[in-house]
Amino acid sequence: MKSYIYTGGAHPTTISRICSFSLTNGQVVRPSDIFRDGTHDELVDRLTKRLMEMNDAHSLDELQDMGYLDIADMFITNNMLLERNHIVFHYDTYELAPYAFGEIDISFTYAELEDLMNL
């Protein structure tokens, strides 16, 4: 679901809400349902490294020089899409970078994260 908010300025703010539901109980699946306790920091590190790969950055400083994670730290979003072979973490405009960068999707195969997951 996308919604738009305009409170003045150069452009509206777009907010996307992505929900994946459990097929067994119909509840919204959150990262805490998928990832083991104690894996938060490692998942944040992998999200940061994947964002670096996506932008051909070789360090966090280089990524920040590009405009990413300049005013906010990486975090695990609840905006998570569970696809057949991938998990996609969706970040709205402004969450990781300036408006001009748009929405950012960071994708992993399940195999890339299975060591962090409740299986």
Side-chain angles (χ1 to χ4, degrees):
M1 174 180 82
K2 280 191 189 270
S3 57
Y4 303 91
I5 300 170
Y6 183 73
T7 57
H11 47 75
T13 299
T14 303
I15 300 169
S16 297
R17 290 296 161 246
I18 297 170
C19 295
S20 292
F21 295 90
S22 169
L23 296 176
T24 57
N25 64 19
Q27 298 295 314
V28 173
V29 178
R30 304 202 185 291
S32 60
D33 299 324
I34 297 174
F35 297 100
R36 291 190 330 268
D37 290 340
T39 61
H40 177 273
D41 292 345
E42 179 62 25
L43 182 53
V44 167
D45 186 53
R46 291 186 194 186
L47 285 161
T48 303
K49 287 179 180 174
R50 180 57 50 93
L51 185 61
M52 289 170 55
E53 290 170 12
M54 291 167 53
N55 291 282
D56 199 29
H58 299 96
S59 69
L60 182 56
D61 287 338
E62 189 176 340
L63 190 66
Q64 289 172 326
D65 287 345
M66 292 175 185
Y68 293 95
L69 303 175
D70 192 35
I71 58 172
D73 293 328
M74 178 58 77
F75 65 97
I76 302 167
T77 181
N78 284 327
N79 258 355
M80 184 179 66
L81 178 62
L82 303 177
E83 295 183 323
R84 182 179 194 105
N85 297 311
H86 291 85
I87 298 176
V88 179
F89 296 88
H90 177 82
Y91 295 89
D92 285 327
T93 306
Y94 288 123
E95 288 188 312
L96 300 181
Y99 180 85
F101 288 57
E103 298 172 317
I104 298 168
D105 289 333
I106 302 175
S107 180
F108 294 93
T109 65
Y110 290 107
E112 291 175 305
L113 298 178
E114 76 179 338
D115 62 314
L116 306 179
M117 299 172 76
N118 295 314
L119 298 175

